[in-house]
Amino acid sequence: MERTREQQFECTEGDWQPTAHGHLLGDVLQRQRLVRGKDVLELGAGVGNHTVLLVRGGARHVVATEITEERLETTRHNVERLCGKDAPVEYRVADWLRTTGKFDLVVTNPPFAKSGKRNRRYFLDKLILDSFRRLKPEGELLFVQSSMADLNLSIQMMLRNGYEPRILAQREEPWREYYFEDPRFLLEAEEVEGGYDERDGQRFEILSVLHGRLRSWSPPAFAH
Ligand SMILES: C[S@@+](CC[C@H](N)C(=O)[O-])C[C@H]1O[C@@H](n2cnc3c(N)ncnc32)[C@H](O)[C@@H]1O
């Protein structure tokens, strides 16, 4: 397989090249002791940039997912190269949360700007609504998002769905070039309060790493 290098990660054409979003989530994973001894589900593992940090951070077991076998092969290639074949990682092709098991922690940098969905927030919304299905009681959710994806909405949704949200890191970044190439993205940007700031002709977004612990919940007897 022909590969190009992005820092120490190797990838093929079509793989997601890590961006500032992924770097910020990576900084949090390196700085905070969030993974030691935990069973972790990582959604959309890409080149394995976070998978490697999860292994190095002492995760007990990691399930790393990707949408196709080809994408997942890149994850596997990098993790095996950088952490060895015995790293406690299981690689699964899975469509977002459509997989099995219960985990202590779900980690992801969800597709947003290029989600390709009518509802651009689809993967974020699904994550906040349905991650409880993959979490053990008191399990944790950790993800990164842009202010362009409406931070307040994610916080509201987390509260509504039983999470205690905390912002673990924030960083301002200039807009990525491809944002300007999508007319619908430009229109949607105007609808998001606090979505971006413009200074000296340059647009900036704020990236946030959100963490939430799922409060325990017993459905009432009348639930159907
Ligand atoms: C924003 S990229 C993040 C990649 C990597 N985790 C990082 O931070 O650099 C989102 C990743 O999700 C994957 N993906 C897209 N749709 C998916 C789906 N339905 N289920 C699982 N992964 C998906 C993409 O292939 C891509 O690697």
Side-chain angles (χ1 to χ4, degrees):
M1 190 186 308
E2 195 183 320
R3 293 179 184 276
T4 53
R5 253 174 212 281
E6 209 273 354
Q7 294 172 347
Q8 80 264 46
F9 294 96
E10 297 179 358
C11 53
T12 55
E13 210 184 325
D15 288 327
W16 182 262
Q17 304 280 339
T19 65
H21 304 58
H23 298 320
L24 188 63
L25 180 58
D27 289 351
V28 167
L29 287 172
Q30 277 177 296
R31 239 187 19 243
Q32 310 233 1
R33 293 172 64 86
L34 291 166
V35 299
R36 185 154 297 279
K38 292 188 180 156
D39 291 331
V40 183
L41 172 63
E42 184 195 2
L43 303 174
V47 297
N49 45 336
H50 298 132
T51 326
V52 164
L53 295 177
L54 293 169
V55 171
R56 292 183 181 154
R60 197 177 77 91
H61 188 254
V62 180
V63 170
T65 73
E66 258 300 338
I67 187 64
T68 63
E69 196 58 66
E70 200 185 353
R71 296 279 91 80
L72 193 63
E73 190 44 42
T74 297
T75 315
R76 188 198 311 270
H77 173 82
N78 283 309
V79 176
E80 288 188 355
R81 203 169 49 82
L82 297 166
C83 301
K85 283 194 184 272
D86 295 335
V89 181
E90 182 186 335
Y91 305 89
R92 287 187 195 163
V93 172
D95 184 2
W96 213 227
L97 288 151
R98 293 172 92 172
T99 188
T100 54
K102 291 281 188 182
F103 302 83
D104 300 300
L105 178 68
V106 172
V107 180
T108 186
N109 172 10
F112 171 67
K114 293 194 170 183
S115 75
K117 302 289 188 188
R118 180 182 296 251
N119 167 13
R120 202 179 294 269
R121 276 186 53 101
Y122 175 89
F123 292 99
L124 271 164
D125 289 346
K126 238 2 212 162
L127 181 73
I128 300 171
L129 277 172
D130 277 347
S131 43
F132 79 94
R133 296 181 192 283
R134 302 276 64 86
L135 285 173
K136 298 178 189 173
E138 303 283 314
E140 296 159 84
L141 177 59
L142 181 72
F143 62 97
V144 61
Q145 76 158 80
S146 163
S147 49
M148 300 295 305
D150 200 336
L151 179 62
N152 287 335
L153 180 55
S154 292
I155 290 174
Q156 262 179 40
M157 281 186 67
M158 286 176 82
L159 284 166
R160 197 177 295 165
N161 287 280
Y163 290 97
E164 294 163 20
R166 293 189 297 151
I167 296 173
L168 298 188
Q170 283 193 313
R171 186 179 294 163
E172 189 179 62
E173 289 288 335
W175 268 27
R176 308 198 63 76
E177 280 304 314
Y178 60 76
Y179 294 176
F180 294 96
E181 292 160 13
D182 179 348
R184 199 163 68 87
F185 187 90
L186 294 173
L187 284 177
E188 288 169 15
E190 303 310 319
E191 304 297 317
V192 181
E193 213 184 311
Y196 71 92
D197 190 23
E198 190 156 8
R199 300 191 302 274
D200 302 326
Q202 201 178 4
R203 289 188 179 189
F204 298 89
E205 61 185 330
I206 293 176
L207 310 181
S208 302
V209 175
L210 285 140
H211 173 268
R213 187 180 291 280
L214 188 59
R215 288 191 296 265
S216 60
W217 166 255
S218 309
F222 59 75
H224 52 87

